Each structure stands twice: as C-alpha cells, then as structure tokens.
Amino acid sequence: MIAVRRRTGGGPVLVFDAHMDTVFQPGLQINATIHDGKVYAPGVGDDTRNVAALLATIRALDEAKIRTKGDLVFVFTVEEETTFKGVNNFVKENKSKIDQYIALDGGYEGFTYAGIGINWYRHHFIGPGGHTRSRTPPFSASLPLARAIDRIYQIESTH
C-alpha cells in the first residue's frame, strides 16, 4: 500500500516505510488488551506500531494543513522478515524518484540511525540416505543439518 502527499515544489522526495508482516487467517478474531497504557495483541510490536505511527502522521499533517516542498511517500511493505519482496519491488520501480528513504522497524528500546546489515545464507545439505528417521546407514542429510544448526547456536556473540 502506498500513500503520497504531494509537494508544493522544489523539495526532495522522502519515503517512509513500515512493514506489515503479521498475517492472520480470514475471520480470526484478534483481541487487544490495554494495561498501563500499553496495547497488547498479536503483531503489535513488529511492526504494527510503526504502521499506526505513519498513519497518524498522515492524519496529523492533513489536519494541520502542513504542506511540504517535497513529496512525502508512505509505503507499507510486506515480507520484511523473509524476502524483502515489498521494499525491493518498490525501490526497483521508483529508485530514480527517491531522494531519501526512512524505514521504521521495531522501536522497542531505542533508536538505530543509519543502516544495519542482515546477511542471508543458503546452504544445501546432501546425504546418501532418504529416510530422515533412519538409525542405520545410509543416513539422510537431516542429522548433519541438525548438528550444524546446534553448533551455530553454540557460537558466542561478541555484541
């Protein structure tokens, strides 16, 4: 979903992005509760609060009749946790029109300025066997895969 507040002229195009990852099956009743001024519900933290913040920003700008020199583009993307399909498609189609891009994510305990990196790796495990639960050779690749995952989780983080 994309919303554009048109500029008066002469300013940069700013894109504000919040992702919509939480997807529920049709008809599911979601109940939110409020305790001590905080809303609790599935999907609220990642990234519902920033979707709401951008929608509130649009409403506040409109109600205050604030005009900007550059377009303000509000983008609500999907698949942020997996393929970045939403943001990748938007940037691919609009790259030459974007001057600045601000992505809002999380917001639990602080503020991260500038870019952060995520590295995705794909590994293909191949084994001579075919039954994942076999206790005799030839084993499938599921056992070395499980051992590799366990060893990755044993690596101590320096951060």
Side-chain angles (χ1 to χ4, degrees):
M1 181 169 65
I2 300 168
V4 179
R5 291 191 83 249
R6 297 285 175 211
R7 62 180 146 202
T8 59
V13 174
L14 276 65
V15 176
F16 297 89
D17 174 358
H19 65 88
M20 306 182 297
D21 276 348
T22 306
V23 178
F24 301 103
Q25 64 266 31
L28 180 66
Q29 297 297 314
I30 303 295
N31 295 317
T33 58
I34 300 174
H35 297 285
D36 297 325
K38 294 182 182 177
V39 178
Y40 296 86
V44 166
D46 187 18
D47 191 38
T48 306
R49 73 180 76 196
N50 289 314
V51 170
L54 289 183
L55 293 171
T57 300
I58 295 168
R59 178 179 290 161
L61 290 168
D62 287 348
E63 287 181 8
K65 297 182 180 10
I66 293 174
R67 304 299 304 152
T68 57
K69 289 183 179 181
D71 283 353
L72 301 181
V73 182
F74 297 87
V75 180
F76 302 91
T77 58
V78 295
E79 297 189 26
E80 182 271 343
E81 304 289 350
T82 55
T83 66
F84 292 108
K85 181 179 179 180
V87 68
N88 284 339
N89 285 341
F90 177 79
V91 170
K92 181 180 174 183
E93 294 173 9
N94 298 283
K95 189 173 187 174
S96 65
K97 303 175 202 169
I98 299 170
D99 293 306
Q100 296 178 17
Y101 200 103
I102 300 167
L104 302 174
D105 191 0
Y108 300 106
E109 296 178 5
F111 184 74
T112 301
Y113 176 77
I116 59 172
I118 298 173
N119 295 310
W120 294 85
Y121 300 96
R122 181 174 293 186
H123 299 281
H124 192 170
F125 283 74
I126 301 173
H131 296 296
T132 58
R133 294 172 46 137
S134 175
R135 296 177 193 262
T136 58
F139 300 109
S140 78
S142 61
L143 184 57
L145 171 62
R147 288 183 181 141
I149 292 169
D150 181 59
R151 289 178 181 150
I152 289 169
Y153 276 97
Q154 300 305 317
I155 297 172
E156 289 189 33
S157 173
T158 59
H159 302 311

